[in-house]
Amino acid sequence: MENGGMRMYDILIVGAGLFGAVFAHEAKAAGKNVLVVDKRSHVAGNVYTKEIEGIHVHEYGAHIFHTNNRQVWDYVQRFAEFNRFTNSPVANYRGELYSLPFNMYTFNKMWGVVTPEEAAAKIAGQRKEIKGEPKNLEEQAISLVGRDIYEKLIKGYTEKQWGRACRDLPAFIIKRLPVRLTFDNNYFNALYQGIPVGGYTRMVENMLEGIETRLNEDYLENKGSWDAQARRVVYTGPIDAYFQYRLGALEYRSVRFETELLDMPNFQGNAAVNYTDRETPWTRIIEHKWFEFGKDGQGRDLPKTVISREYSSEWQPGNEPYYPVNDEKNGKRYAEYKALADQEKNVIFGGRLGEYKYYDMDQVIDSALQCAKRHL
Ligand code: FAD
Ligand code: UDP
């Protein structure tokens, strides 16, 4: 399909997010001539950080890099230095503060217990109300940490986040939160964790170094002319949009952020505070400067702060797609789109929108590296 020598690029990559940037980097390293396009005005997709008053603001939600994958961890070190940030959110329940995830600090504050044995006994006493296998999130939560913690730290937050009662939600959602009878308040069970010094945007720019990248270009608006320029396409946009939603739109769970610059050095003393009561309309507040310990690039204290209130919202077509919905209806619809995608010649579908899959950053990098290995 040389087409009279018109095709200037070996590979056109649609999307300058993590999947696109990693694939582009690998393709260039393999000697390919690559073009990257993105419809947004910036690179980095959802991990984009924007600098405001020296603070790297996570525009599309807080992103904390964590992984057990040594290969991926080594890979990202090539593009950024990672700091020692460890996620330890605080829960605010009507002004009472608790340590997260559930650990000895939490149990001490909740019940006054001092030893792990006392905490375990308290939980065991409260979980007795659940007989048999937990059937939903409420039963699962009570069976993990007891009713008191469920009522104060789980129920309100979960119902705001998912827009549904805990009894109508699947049990597995809560299972990924650690419960520890130690004073370890690291939110993630991961070997490696940190934030790229200087922001994620710079890390992605480093991945894309020396690669032609055009912004503010919607591939689907001029698909024919873009396709004519390259032998192969890597598409990381929404799979249903690629096929003009002909089988119906895939649904997403959405979030909305209200971001404010405040003329004070310290608003809440932590990167993340979860509001776990039902009355506060937001689910959490992120104070971005604490991802980099409140310092600028020269190690100086930053005088101002930027916070983002995060609200969970119902997704409507046209909204920013955030989390794929893993239910039967959407799973089936995705499988049908996937069958169409498999027939598409010379197009690779990748990333969280191209594969309609909730990927953490390390997983999307791993997936792009595997994909590059298979196709380059
Ligand atoms: P994206 O970053 O979405 O990139 C796709 C790109 O394609 C976008 O830039 C888009 O503009 C572009 N595009 C789409 N359609 C077109 C088109 N027609 N033409 C041109 N360009 C197009 N992961 C973690 O590991 N830790 C976290 O703490 C974490 N927090 C998260 C918080 C939130 C709120 C969300 C939503 C996700 C979070 N993630 C986190 C997951 C992380 O964001 C993803 O793993 C990662 O960003 C996926 O990269 P991607 O390249 O697949 O997709
Ligand atoms: N969760 C909770 N209280 C909290 C934090 C989390 O009840 O303070 C519950 C909530 O149901 C959430 C689940 O634990 O959906 C998983 O939490 P995680 O932070 O992994 O959720 P994410 O924001 O990544 O969806």
Side-chain angles (χ1 to χ4, degrees):
M1 63 168 226
E2 278 310 315
N3 216 0
M6 273 174 61
R7 295 174 198 268
M8 289 155 6
Y9 301 98
D10 297 313
I11 306 176
L12 168 72
I13 295 170
V14 180
L18 275 180
F19 191 99
V22 168
F23 196 98
H25 185 87
E26 294 305 299
K28 179 171 185 269
K32 307 287 180 197
N33 190 12
V34 184
L35 172 65
V36 177
V37 295
D38 201 297
K39 65 179 179 182
R40 292 181 181 171
S41 60
H42 58 75
V43 299
N46 275 9
V47 308
Y48 172 67
T49 43
K50 177 181 178 177
E51 192 170 325
I52 301 177
E53 297 278 341
I55 300 162
H56 298 110
V57 175
H58 297 211
E59 279 266 296
Y60 301 90
H63 278 78
I64 298 139
F65 197 94
H66 56 99
T67 189
N68 282 312
N69 186 327
R70 178 67 192 265
Q71 201 200 338
V72 169
W73 182 243
D74 288 344
Y75 187 78
V76 293
Q77 308 301 311
R78 290 163 51 187
F79 307 101
E81 183 191 339
F82 278 69
N83 70 18
R84 60 155 190 86
F85 181 83
T86 301
N87 192 27
S88 311
V90 169
N92 180 326
Y93 176 78
R94 300 183 180 162
E96 291 170 26
L97 300 183
Y98 293 91
S99 172
L100 289 175
F102 311 119
N103 69 85
M104 282 303 296
Y105 290 114
T106 329
F107 306 138
N108 172 262
K109 179 84 185 262
M110 188 68 67
W111 299 312
V113 294
V114 171
T115 65
E117 206 175 2
E118 288 168 343
K122 198 82 192 170
I123 294 171
Q126 294 201 359
R127 79 155 57 106
K128 278 196 192 122
E129 69 169 282
I130 306 300
K131 315 266 183 252
E133 260 308 289
K135 286 186 284 298
N136 52 50
L137 195 151
E138 176 175 299
E139 292 189 5
Q140 181 67 66
I142 295 171
S143 131
L144 280 174
V145 284
R147 180 165 282 277
D148 292 340
I149 289 181
Y150 168 68
E151 296 283 350
K152 286 191 170 181
L153 304 184
I154 297 174
K155 188 169 191 287
Y157 185 91
T158 300
E159 295 191 353
K160 284 190 286 191
Q161 175 146 345
W162 296 91
R164 272 185 272 165
C166 289
R167 280 197 196 140
D168 299 331
L169 286 164
F172 75 85
I173 293 177
I174 197 74
K175 272 201 204 156
R176 68 168 180 247
L177 285 194
V179 179
R180 301 198 187 106
L181 292 171
T182 62
F183 290 90
D184 176 4
N185 61 357
N186 178 355
Y187 201 68
F188 299 117
N189 285 318
L191 278 175
Y192 312 105
Q193 183 172 177
I195 300 284
V197 175
Y200 286 94
T201 306
R202 195 200 285 169
M203 176 178 91
V204 174
E205 282 167 356
N206 289 340
M207 290 173 172
L208 291 171
E209 200 184 304
I211 294 169
E212 186 178 349
T213 305
R214 295 199 213 151
L215 300 173
N216 302 302
E217 295 283 5
D218 188 331
Y219 162 76
L220 293 176
E221 278 179 10
N222 288 303
K223 186 171 177 304
S225 72
W226 291 115
D227 286 346
Q229 295 183 47
R231 289 195 180 84
R232 278 195 287 172
V233 173
V234 173
Y235 177 82
T236 74
I239 188 168
D240 52 352
Y242 183 94
F243 293 105
Q244 298 98 41
Y245 305 99
R246 74 174 79 138
L247 307 170
L250 291 164
E251 292 171 317
Y252 289 85
R253 189 162 68 81
S254 212
V255 274
R256 181 168 64 79
F257 305 100
E258 274 176 9
T259 296
E260 249 185 281
L261 170 66
L262 302 176
D263 197 6
M264 56 161 75
N266 190 356
F267 173 75
Q268 63 184 19
N270 203 37
V273 175
N274 292 2
Y275 284 76
T276 58
D277 61 85
R278 192 69 192 83
E279 298 76 33
T280 308
W282 52 84
T283 48
R284 53 182 185 167
I285 299 183
I286 301 301
E287 188 171 9
H288 302 265
K289 70 191 305 183
W290 302 124
F291 289 122
E292 296 183 66
F293 310 107
K295 308 277 187 194
D296 71 5
Q298 275 74 49
R300 291 176 301 224
D301 288 328
L302 291 156
K304 295 186 183 174
T305 197
V306 176
I307 60 164
S308 297
R309 291 187 175 79
E310 189 172 322
Y311 300 82
S312 197
S313 67
E314 277 302 311
W315 179 81
Q316 314 273 343
N319 284 6
E320 197 61 64
Y322 279 103
Y323 301 95
V325 178
N326 289 311
D327 63 8
E328 215 182 311
K329 181 178 99 186
N330 286 287
K332 232 179 111 213
R333 189 164 286 174
Y334 169 68
E336 289 167 10
Y337 276 120
K338 171 82 170 63
L340 288 180
D342 288 343
Q343 289 163 31
E344 206 68 2
K345 277 218 174 87
N346 301 321
V347 184
I348 298 164
F349 291 78
R352 91 196 156 89
L353 301 166
E355 296 175 68
Y356 193 64
K357 195 165 175 181
Y358 184 86
Y359 273 131
D360 272 326
M361 290 181 276
D362 61 325
Q363 295 169 316
V364 94
I365 290 169
D366 189 42
S367 156
L369 288 172
Q370 306 290 342
C371 186
K373 238 188 231 156
R374 278 197 308 277
H375 293 280
L376 290 173

